[in-house]
Amino acid sequence: MFGKKFGFGVNYWASENATRMWRDFDSEIIESDFIALKKAGVKWLRIFPLWNEFQPIKELTTWAGRSLEVVYEDETPLDDTPEGVAGVSKVMMDRLETVMNLCKKYGFRVDLAIFTGFMSSMNYIPRLFETKNVFTDPTALMWEQKYIKYIVTRFADHEALGGWDLGNECSVMRTIKDNVAAQYSWSMMVANAIRAIDKEHPVISGLDSMSTKTI
């Protein structure tokens, strides 16, 4: 994987709480899992930061539904820190860094799936985009690029990082399977935003029913 030698890897969620691993974070459980995975010969982990938990933003509206401002889900205003500019949760990003550090400790390489907005037949899309097409809506695309810039800048130099994944079966977050132009444009937007910051690590497509040839 990502080289001349094949590496044995798995999709990873914490054994005790699966997709709740970020909100119910327990580094001891994760480390115990990593010890077991290392004993089993695993070399690569595909890790999934749930999009709605890592970029927990929503829109406040006023009279007649007029847009007022974008805030965090608990209505805390976004500030001028890197996290606030990107609308990301520092708590969740710090938890991801803890996981990445554990991956380094146990010798795993990580395929980081940036837009995990779909997992196990459930959508995990930020509230700001609940009524939007995340592949074509200008507001969604703007915030997606802010998210990419933050996460790639923060983790591009981490020793455990093996590569970037566009996301987990992202094409089913909204219906675009028959829209080749939208598939191509969105894939190129994400891939190019990553490569603008990190030219060293490969970018792969984890999108459902889409070919890596498009990017």
Side-chain angles (χ1 to χ4, degrees):
M1 187 176 183
F2 300 146
K4 296 181 180 179
K5 295 183 179 180
F6 178 80
F8 173 47
V10 298
N11 288 343
Y12 176 74
W13 286 104
S15 60
E16 295 294 323
N17 41 24
T19 54
R20 296 181 64 90
M21 69 173 278
W22 300 111
R23 72 183 83 168
D24 299 332
F25 192 73
D26 190 326
S27 60
E28 291 183 1
I29 289 173
I30 294 171
E31 185 161 17
S32 177
D33 290 343
F34 284 3
I35 292 171
L37 289 168
K38 185 175 180 65
K39 289 180 179 178
V42 171
K43 302 293 185 183
W44 284 83
L45 298 179
R46 187 168 177 240
I47 290 178
F48 309 94
L50 286 182
W51 189 8
N52 65 334
E53 295 182 1
F54 278 73
Q55 195 178 34
I57 49 178
K58 70 176 184 179
E59 182 179 42
L60 291 181
T61 59
T62 183
W63 297 99
R66 182 172 60 84
S67 177
L68 187 62
E69 66 175 318
V70 174
V71 296
Y72 286 112
E73 278 194 354
D74 64 359
E75 300 191 1
T76 299
L78 303 181
D79 57 27
D80 59 0
T81 64
E83 291 78 19
V85 170
V88 303
S89 166
K90 186 177 187 303
V91 170
M92 292 300 174
M93 289 295 178
D94 288 347
R95 289 175 180 179
L96 177 57
E97 185 160 6
T98 296
V99 172
M100 294 291 286
N101 290 341
L102 286 171
C103 287
K104 175 186 174 183
K105 178 178 178 179
Y106 291 98
F108 297 121
R109 301 299 300 281
V110 175
D111 169 20
L112 197 56
I114 294 180
F115 288 106
T116 304
F118 181 84
M119 175 60 62
S120 302
S121 299
M122 294 291 292
N123 278 317
Y124 295 93
I125 298 173
R127 286 181 62 186
L128 181 62
F129 316 135
E130 283 181 344
T131 61
K132 303 179 188 299
N133 187 322
V134 296
F135 303 105
T136 59
D137 182 85
T139 298
L141 295 174
M142 178 185 72
W143 283 101
E144 287 165 27
Q145 291 183 73
K146 290 173 179 283
Y147 182 66
I148 294 166
K149 182 178 180 180
Y150 181 92
I151 196 169
V152 175
T153 299
R154 179 156 178 175
F155 294 103
D157 294 327
H158 198 285
E159 291 182 48
L161 183 70
W164 302 102
D165 190 332
L166 303 189
N168 181 64
E169 299 180 343
C170 287
S171 52
V172 297
M173 291 190 295
R174 296 290 186 264
T175 302
I176 60 165
K177 285 190 175 182
D178 296 325
N179 190 336
V180 176
Q183 293 178 14
Y184 180 86
S185 297
W186 189 82
S187 297
M188 286 298 294
M189 182 278 289
V190 178
N192 288 338
I194 294 169
R195 290 171 178 147
I197 301 167
D198 181 4
K199 295 179 173 60
E200 300 300 320
H201 294 96
V203 179
I204 67 169
S205 172
L207 277 64
D208 179 61
S209 301
M210 291 176 63
S211 170
T212 55
K213 293 180 181 179
T214 63
I215 59 171

